[in-house]
Amino acid sequence: TLTLLAVHAHSDDECSGTGGLLIQSIAAGRTTVLITCTNGEMGEAKDPRHPLKPRENLEDRKRLIELRKREQGKAAKILGITHVYNLDYRDSGMDGWEQNDDPGVFMNADLDEVAGRIAEVIRRHRPDVVVTYNENGGYGHPDHIMTHQATLAALGAAEGPTRDRREDGDNVPGPWRVKKLYYTAW
C-alpha cells in the first residue's frame, strides 16, 4: 500500500493544511503518517469555554498543550490517520514575538537533530509521498519555515547510510528515498 507522510508545525495544521488529502488517502486505502513538530502552546484557543492567554501565562500554556493534544487525537481519529508522532518542541510564536529569541523554541532547535528525528520516521514508515510547507512556511510562520527546512534535511538524511543498531538496541531501518515531495498551498 502507498504511504503518505504529512509533516506539520502545530496540531491543527493537519486539518487546515492537509485534512482533505488525508481523508482522501485513507479512503483510497493508503497508510497515512503525521508528524507534528511543536506543542502549539503559543496558539489560540478560540473556544470561549477555554479563555487562555498563553503569551502571558505559563499555566495557560500548559493547559493549551493539553487541549491541543486532545484535539489532535480527536482530529486524527476523524481523519483516519494511521500513525501520529509528536516531536514536542516548544512553539516559537509568530514572527517578531519575543519568544523568537528563546533558544529553546522550535525555530532555534538544532536542525540536524530535528531532521534526524523526522528521518527515523521516514525510514520506519517508508512513505512514497511527503507533504509539508514551502520555503516560506506558507505565510512566514517561523515554525512552518523550520518544519520545511527540517523536512528537506530529513529527506536527505533518510537516504544516507545508517548504523546497524540504535542505542536502545533496536534495528535501524535502512535508507529510504521518498518518491515525491509536495508543499501545501493556501
Side-chain angles (χ1 to χ4, degrees), residues 2 18 29 46 58 72 81-82 96 106 113 115 122 129 148 169 181:
L2 295 174
T18 54
K46 297 189 186 218
L58 181 59
Q72 185 180 48
I81 298 171
T82 316
F106 182 56
E113 174 193 306
I122 291 171
V129 175
H148 165 82
L181 170 67

Side-chain angles (χ1 to χ4, degrees), residues 124-138:
R124 180 178 301 135
H125 292 284
R126 304 177 113 46
D128 301 282
V129 175
V130 171
V131 179
T132 193
Y133 313 105
N134 66 15
E135 63 280 353
N136 188 40

Side-chain angles (χ1 to χ4, degrees), residues 38 54 114 154 159 181:
T38 77
V114 179
E159 293 179 19
L181 170 67

Side-chain angles (χ1 to χ4, degrees), residues 2 5 11 29 47 49 68 71 77-79 81 85 87 98 101 107 110 114 116 120 122 126-127 145 165 182:
L2 295 174
L5 168 62
S11 55
D47 185 335
R49 297 172 297 171
R68 288 281 177 116
E71 288 175 342
K77 285 181 183 176
I78 291 168
L79 295 172
I81 298 171
Y85 295 89
L87 301 186
E98 68 181 62
D101 297 327
M107 68 182 280
D110 181 86
V114 179
E120 188 173 321
I122 291 171
R126 304 177 113 46
I145 293 169
R165 294 181 105 39
Y182 291 103

